[in-house]
Amino acid sequence: MDFNKLFDSFNTENKSEEEVDIYMSRKEAFKKLGSLTKKVALASLPVAAFTMMPKMAFAQSSDVIGVLKFALALERLEYQFYIKGVDSGVVSGRHMDVFMAIREHERIHVELLEATIQALGGNLDGVPSMFDYTAGGVFPSPFGNRQLFLALSQAFEDTGVRAYKGQAPNLMDNDDLLKVALQIHAVEARHASQVRRIRGRKGWITEEDYDGIDGFGATFMMASSAVYAGEKNTTHVGVEVTEVTTVPVMAVREAWDEPLSMEMVLDIVKPFIVS
């Protein structure tokens, strides 16, 4: 299954000139900017609205279903992580409400993606459902060490944000699916920012400095370097931004969040996947 194939076909027959112009301008803008910001919380969306979504012709594509399954795997990884985290007692009392809320957000994401995949004619075969948060023993007590739990939480959330951004162009040909992906993306970004602040960090990514999650051994440092790979980029829309602004280079690097490819994300989460 080629998950990275982009859907570049657009049937212009029977379309007005205005419709074609709007579509192409939107598509070109998205390709250049790499993201689209929406400030809508997913929790306010009724799951039933998406389970009743009509089966559009393009939705039979294995690539689209593959992207949704990819997203589902990440959401399951996070959901089960927060179930265990809340149940284990590793979360301190003053932050319990935060992680219980994040857990419920991830549950809604999982249920929505599962329902959407099935509504579009797909199945859930092959999507990981069992995870080892020790990564084969590399992290022996993620639910007994608060700082390690928070570091893993930050890594998972930051990876999720960049993963959704990386796959959004693959959903460009359907407003409904793209809208859902961007709504989840926005909420994941809020999760990441909240966890970072709990850890005493900035709410956004700063270069490739691992944002303070490199204190758990060489393996974690290597994994975290993959999570933040490319965040030093200063070129956007073909423009070297440092040449058109007087703000410090660090600020330029912080002002953009870079996408991760599916392959890069899978390399990051693979050690945690059991089946």
Side-chain angles (χ1 to χ4, degrees):
M1 184 181 297
D2 181 6
F3 292 159
N4 292 312
K5 179 180 178 182
L6 299 181
F7 288 81
D8 290 326
S9 60
F10 175 63
N11 184 4
T12 58
E13 294 183 7
N14 301 319
K15 299 287 193 307
S16 69
E17 183 176 342
E18 181 180 4
E19 287 177 312
V20 174
D21 287 344
I22 290 175
Y23 175 85
M24 296 306 292
S25 63
R26 285 179 178 176
K27 192 166 187 176
E28 184 63 19
F30 195 95
K31 285 182 177 179
K32 287 182 177 180
L33 298 178
S35 65
L36 179 65
T37 303
K38 295 289 186 181
K39 301 296 184 183
V40 181
L42 181 68
S44 66
L45 299 176
V47 172
F50 295 97
T51 62
M52 297 174 63
M53 190 187 303
K55 295 181 181 179
M56 289 138 304
F58 87 92
Q60 298 301 319
S61 167
S62 61
D63 284 0
V64 171
I65 297 299
V67 169
L68 297 179
K69 284 187 171 184
F70 169 68
L72 176 58
L74 296 179
E75 295 298 341
R76 284 181 173 178
L77 173 74
E78 292 178 320
Y79 176 42
Q80 293 187 32
F81 178 73
Y82 292 117
I83 289 177
K84 293 179 181 295
V86 169
D87 291 346
S88 71
V90 71
V91 177
S92 63
R94 67 193 181 101
H95 295 133
M96 180 61 76
D97 288 347
V98 171
F99 285 101
M100 288 180 66
I102 293 177
R103 179 195 63 188
E104 291 307 290
H105 294 168
E106 305 299 4
R107 177 178 67 83
I108 295 169
H109 294 174
V110 167
E111 293 175 352
L112 175 58
L113 286 166
E114 289 177 345
T116 302
I117 289 169
Q118 293 173 322
L120 296 178
N123 59 58
L124 306 181
D125 294 350
V127 182
S129 59
M130 296 180 63
F131 306 94
D132 172 15
Y133 296 103
T134 74
V138 174
F139 315 120
S141 57
F143 303 108
N145 180 328
R146 179 175 178 272
Q147 291 305 319
L148 177 56
F149 172 81
L150 292 175
L152 283 170
S153 174
Q154 177 181 310
F156 289 153
E157 295 295 346
D158 281 337
T159 297
V161 172
R162 299 185 69 190
Y164 273 100
K165 188 182 281 90
Q167 291 305 307
N170 289 345
L171 302 176
M172 279 295 294
D173 286 344
N174 182 268
D175 288 343
D176 290 325
L177 293 181
L178 180 59
K179 180 180 179 181
V180 171
L182 292 174
Q183 288 170 323
I184 295 177
H185 167 266
V187 173
E188 294 292 339
R190 296 174 193 273
H191 292 171
S193 180
Q194 181 70 14
V195 173
R196 287 166 160 280
R197 294 187 185 284
I198 288 174
R199 299 188 65 245
R201 312 294 297 185
K202 294 179 180 178
W204 53 86
I205 294 173
T206 300
E207 295 194 309
E208 298 175 3
D209 66 355
Y210 320 126
D211 282 289
I213 65 172
D214 57 338
F216 301 95
T219 301
F220 204 151
M221 188 170 180
M222 184 180 298
S224 63
S225 67
V227 172
Y228 300 107
E231 287 293 352
K232 287 185 177 180
N233 180 40
T234 58
T235 300
H236 300 277
V237 202
V239 176
E240 174 48 53
V241 181
T242 59
E243 296 179 357
V244 296
T245 182
T246 58
V247 302
V249 174
M250 179 71 76
V252 173
R253 289 169 175 165
E254 290 180 338
W256 274 271
D257 203 22
E258 303 295 331
L260 285 174
S261 70
M262 184 176 290
E263 288 80 7
M264 294 173 75
V265 173
L266 292 176
D267 283 343
I268 292 168
V269 301
K270 185 177 179 180
F272 301 95
I273 296 176
V274 175
S275 66

